[in-house]
Amino acid sequence: MRILVLGGTWFLGRAVARTALDRGWEVTVFNRGRSGSAPEGVQTVRGDRTSTDDLVRLAEAGPWDAVVDTSASEIAPRDVLAGARALEPVAGRYVYVSTVNAYRGWPNDPLTEESELLDGPPDADASYGQLPDNWEGPDWYYGRQKAGAERATTAAFGIDRTAVLRPGVILGPGEYVGRLPWWLHRAQRGGRMLAPGTPEQPIQPIDVRDVAAFALDQTTARQGGAYNCVAPIGRETMSGLLRACVLVTGGDAQLVWAPDKLLLDHGVKQWTELPLWRTHAGVWRIDSARAQAAGLTCRPLSETVADTWAWLRDGGMPVDHPRWAEHGIAPDKEAAILAALGR
């Protein structure tokens, strides 16, 4: 099996390349070489996917059985379209990693693969969907861009030769966003530890290695389709996540649960100050039965927590990314909320 990974140097892209190598496959990675490093054993082609000349040069390095696109998070749909068109003659299938943000109903409504997607044409540029500064409605810019990119891949390869993966939150070794690492370091610090919402709150993060494995499985599938790549509804909880963090770090943290209303009253920013906490009704109600039927398996979240801590303890460093600094509540703000709880 010969595959091309667009990206391949950090987090999901690197996990895809590494897993493919472990399967004995021949792997080419295409990236600008500005961050991270590809696993040893891959063939590297340097270039910018927004450059026509670089795309032509990349296509000359083919053919491949499939392309796995993990690097389009900041690429406009029209550039995804140009790249897919350049690669279509030299690749059998296209696996595009999108996001649940592409759904119009996320995070307010329960979702299946049949849920409505946001608007976003396949030839949209980076300005499509941008909102004025005084906009007070939902921010659909990122989702519109990703929905447009999905349409770009199927426009070039056709529905039968395209698999679209829609993950929610991806965690695991190599994480660059900083969600799970923040909770781990907070648990290590110990003491009374603010826990958001209720212990039984279901959550659906997925391990990066499980997304990578499923993406590679789709390169050999006989048909195309879209798949929600999240853990099964109701299997994992916020309590399970935080208790696993306390356990693996060996700290003496005592979880103190704060109701949603109290957190909102104190102005806690959802999704970032207490990572993975969000009060929207549909955020953790994403149906992944179709992906599971197609072979997606999700390891226990406790395993993801333990392996991420081991990676951090062994000196693992994520690719530098501005989103890392967004996560985590300030100690004095946490202390004020704990004091308000009075226990």
Side-chain angles (χ1 to χ4, degrees):
M1 189 73 177
R2 190 166 191 256
I3 68 164
L4 168 66
V5 181
L6 300 181
T9 60
W10 48 299
F11 203 36
L12 178 58
R14 198 174 199 281
V16 169
R18 178 70 267 166
T19 305
L21 290 171
D22 290 344
R23 293 183 180 188
W25 294 4
E26 185 177 342
V27 182
T28 302
V29 299
F30 177 69
N31 53 66
R32 294 173 298 178
R34 296 180 181 176
S35 59
S37 60
E40 184 178 349
V42 306
Q43 176 186 353
T44 299
V45 179
R46 295 279 186 241
D48 188 331
R49 58 186 300 175
T50 65
S51 165
T52 300
D53 290 342
D54 287 354
L55 291 173
V56 170
R57 183 167 51 83
L58 173 62
E60 291 173 348
W64 297 278
D65 296 297
V67 178
V68 181
D69 186 351
T70 67
S71 69
S73 60
E74 299 177 0
I75 304 296
R78 69 176 183 183
D79 294 319
V80 175
L81 179 63
R85 283 175 171 169
L87 294 171
E88 189 276 331
V90 294
R93 290 178 59 78
Y94 201 104
V95 179
Y96 176 67
V97 181
S98 184
T99 170
V100 295
N101 293 70
Y103 290 113
R104 181 174 294 275
W106 193 86
N108 296 306
D109 304 321
L111 297 172
T112 73
E113 287 87 354
E114 307 308 319
S115 299
E116 181 185 4
L117 292 179
L118 289 165
D119 58 298
D123 58 351
D125 64 18
S127 67
Y128 186 85
Q130 287 182 343
L131 301 169
D133 292 338
N134 61 350
W135 178 258
E136 296 182 356
D139 184 358
W140 283 334
Y141 171 72
Y142 177 61
R144 282 171 165 161
Q145 290 279 309
K146 295 294 279 187
E150 288 188 19
R151 296 182 178 105
T153 61
T154 55
F157 273 74
I159 295 174
D160 290 340
R161 296 168 59 201
T162 306
V164 174
L165 277 53
R166 297 183 185 129
V169 172
I170 304 177
L171 303 177
E175 184 196 337
Y176 64 92
V177 176
R179 296 182 176 111
L180 181 50
W182 185 84
W183 279 119
L184 284 163
H185 288 306
R186 175 61 190 89
Q188 182 190 36
R189 195 166 77 239
R192 298 174 75 229
M193 175 174 157
L194 188 63
T198 61
E200 65 272 13
Q201 172 61 53
I203 58 176
Q204 293 180 273
I206 187 170
D207 192 287
V208 63
R209 296 162 292 184
D210 296 332
V211 180
F214 186 67
L216 293 175
D217 291 344
Q218 288 304 302
T219 65
T220 61
R222 295 183 178 180
Q223 62 185 21
Y227 301 93
N228 294 333
C229 294
V230 296
I233 294 174
R235 194 190 74 176
E236 307 289 354
T237 64
M238 184 65 77
S239 175
L241 169 70
L242 299 188
R243 292 184 187 284
C245 289
V246 173
L247 178 65
V248 301
T249 58
D252 63 353
Q254 303 97 45
L255 300 180
V256 181
W257 295 91
D260 292 338
K261 185 179 184 305
L262 179 65
L263 297 175
L264 294 172
D265 288 346
H266 279 79
V268 177
K269 295 178 182 177
Q270 298 192 49
W271 212 232
T272 54
E273 281 195 291
L274 292 173
L276 305 185
W277 169 69
R278 199 162 188 170
T279 60
H280 301 75
V283 67
W284 300 121
R285 295 177 65 190
I286 304 164
D287 182 15
S288 60
R290 179 185 293 181
Q292 294 170 51
L296 174 67
T297 59
C298 299
R299 70 194 68 202
L301 186 55
S302 59
E303 182 178 331
T304 302
V305 170
D307 290 349
T308 301
W309 182 242
W311 167 69
L312 290 168
R313 288 290 300 273
D314 289 343
M317 293 292 293
V319 171
D320 187 35
H321 197 279
R323 293 183 68 184
W324 187 279
E326 297 175 359
H327 291 86
I329 191 170
D332 57 345
K333 187 172 184 178
E334 180 186 21
I337 297 173
L338 290 169
L341 286 166
R343 62 179 190 273

